[in-house]
Amino acid sequence: MSRTGTVPPFAVISGAQVHRVLDGRQQEVVSIVEEAYRIHGVGGTVNPPSYFLRFPDRPSSRIIALPASIGGAVRVDGLKWISSFPENVPAGLPRASAVLILNDHETGYPLACLESSIISAARTAASAALAAARLSEARGPGVGRPRRIGFVGVGLIARYLHSYLAGTGWEFDSTGVHDLSAEHAAGFAGYLQQAGGTGEITVHESAEELIRTSDLVVFATVAGAPHVHDPEWFSHNPLVLHVSLRDLAPEVVLGAVNIVDDVEHCLKADTSLHLAEQRTGNRDFVDGTLYDVLTGRLTLPADRPVVFSPFGLGVLDLAVGKHVYDSVLAAGELAVVEDFFHDLRRYG
């Protein structure tokens, strides 16, 4: 492959710029995420395992590196570097912070550093909203979209997920809320009241009560181990968006139809599915991927609960991040760091 010998300029894109590009464009972002899944499904990506940086003196905290490369029309490489510090929450700070580095597909030189907590939340919410729509359709015309939604865990991801459902046409007759913090649950209920389109809002004292009264259940917690153990809670066969990955005990997983975004990524690091694999010694309980549903290869039964467990692939961050970069560039608002690459002479 020929090289032009031109190093791309390096830019910094702020969270405010990211917000301006993505705000109110939920359907567009869902379409970007769907296309990224399709590119991934045909082998047009490289998405190696994430690397977890952990700290002996801060066992609840971690920083995760997600390297990735995506082809198709996106054609960009890069790395998401995202921290999770749960102790931030009592101090009034968001748990997660992140940056995204985009690398030029031809030269490998970094193109930009983007504030990425918004990108990460948006691609997570877009993935879940896409899954909610497509999995509902795959259960057949007689089932229809869920009308009763419940949120277990009410942080930033839950708020973004609600906005992406609302922004892609979902309305609900009732919305349930449950969180270990009564203060956080009340705050999220207040947000829902202002947002509208949620029907009757109920704050539930228990996860069981919420699950049993919801047709669409969203898990967006920081749980490190399963806390929902009884498959009977799901006997009404809801659709479950298991975004936080570690809420469900193996017996719940084994009683459901399980859809993932990527099998290898989802079945590791003590996720609920990984624990189910350890218990059974196989992966037979994984019924397919979201790509299988998108391409019509897989239809879903209406007489069992359906659980979507998305690991959250780095290629999704790249696809959304490249869209942000291209939009800021086209608007003439790219903040280039002059002379960022100081010495570009090979022999001095």
Side-chain angles (χ1 to χ4, degrees):
M1 181 181 297
S2 62
R3 294 287 187 267
T4 63
T6 301
V7 173
F10 181 78
V12 175
I13 297 177
S14 70
Q17 290 176 298
V18 174
H19 175 75
R20 285 196 294 270
V21 172
L22 300 182
D23 186 41
R25 295 178 173 86
Q26 289 91 344
Q27 187 59 64
E28 184 178 14
V29 178
V30 169
S31 297
I32 291 168
V33 166
E34 178 173 355
E35 180 58 23
Y37 274 130
R38 291 183 181 276
I39 295 170
H40 182 69
V42 297
T45 66
V46 181
N47 205 109
S50 303
Y51 183 83
F52 288 71
L53 176 62
R54 300 185 184 275
F55 314 97
D57 61 329
R58 293 159 287 165
S60 66
S61 300
R62 62 191 183 184
I63 308 180
I64 311 169
L66 287 81
S69 174
I70 182 169
V74 184
R75 284 175 56 85
V76 74
D77 313 319
L79 172 78
K80 179 169 77 168
W81 182 238
I82 181 166
S83 68
S84 175
F85 278 53
E87 298 305 316
N88 285 349
V89 176
L93 293 173
R95 172 184 60 86
S97 59
V99 295
L100 177 68
I101 301 295
L102 300 181
N103 292 76
D104 178 55
H105 189 79
E106 297 298 331
T107 67
Y109 273 82
L111 287 170
C113 176
L114 298 82
E115 196 286 329
S116 197
S117 64
I118 296 172
I119 291 172
S120 185
R123 65 83 156 146
T124 299
S127 167
L130 172 67
R134 298 296 183 261
L135 296 178
S136 295
E137 294 167 0
R139 300 183 87 177
V143 178
R145 281 191 170 188
R147 299 293 303 177
R148 303 178 299 167
I149 189 172
F151 291 89
V152 182
V154 295
L156 177 73
I157 296 301
R159 175 162 59 86
Y160 265 78
L161 207 155
H162 168 264
S163 75
Y164 267 76
L165 290 171
T168 52
W170 289 74
E171 292 186 347
F172 299 98
D173 298 328
S174 66
T175 301
V177 177
H178 173 70
D179 194 274
L180 294 179
S181 166
E183 178 185 357
H184 295 165
F188 190 67
Y191 155 76
L192 292 172
Q193 289 174 343
Q194 293 181 349
T198 54
E200 182 181 0
I201 300 169
T202 304
V203 176
H204 295 277
E205 293 187 1
S206 70
E208 177 184 1
E209 187 179 71
L210 179 143
I211 293 166
R212 287 185 180 276
T213 56
S214 301
D215 305 314
L216 177 60
V217 182
V218 178
F219 285 97
T221 74
V222 294
H227 56 96
V228 175
H229 296 270
D230 191 349
E232 182 60 27
W233 296 4
F234 302 86
S235 59
H236 57 301
N237 304 319
L239 173 59
V240 180
L241 302 177
H242 189 202
V243 178
S244 38
L245 290 176
R246 295 173 175 83
D247 302 271
L248 305 178
E251 50 266 32
V252 176
V253 170
L254 295 174
V257 176
N258 290 286
I259 307 299
V260 300
D261 55 358
D262 184 279
V263 176
E264 292 299 327
H265 284 79
C266 285
L267 274 75
K268 61 178 57 176
D270 291 331
T271 63
S272 294
L273 275 72
H274 188 203
L275 297 179
E277 179 187 27
Q278 292 173 343
R279 175 173 296 188
T280 62
N282 61 64
R283 298 178 171 182
D284 295 344
F285 57 87
V286 178
D287 295 270
T289 67
L290 182 57
Y291 178 72
D292 294 329
V293 176
L294 292 176
T295 55
R297 297 179 184 176
L298 186 65
T299 57
L300 305 176
D303 59 352
R304 293 174 65 195
V306 174
V307 176
F308 176 58
S309 298
F311 182 82
L313 302 174
V315 294
L316 304 184
D317 297 275
L318 291 185
V320 176
K322 184 58 162 48
H323 169 71
V324 171
Y325 175 87
D326 290 341
S327 298
V328 174
L329 176 63
E333 299 174 351
L334 202 61
V336 172
V337 181
E338 299 295 342
D339 299 323
F340 184 81
F341 301 109
H342 175 61
D343 191 348
L344 296 174
R345 297 172 300 175
R346 182 175 184 183
Y347 299 111

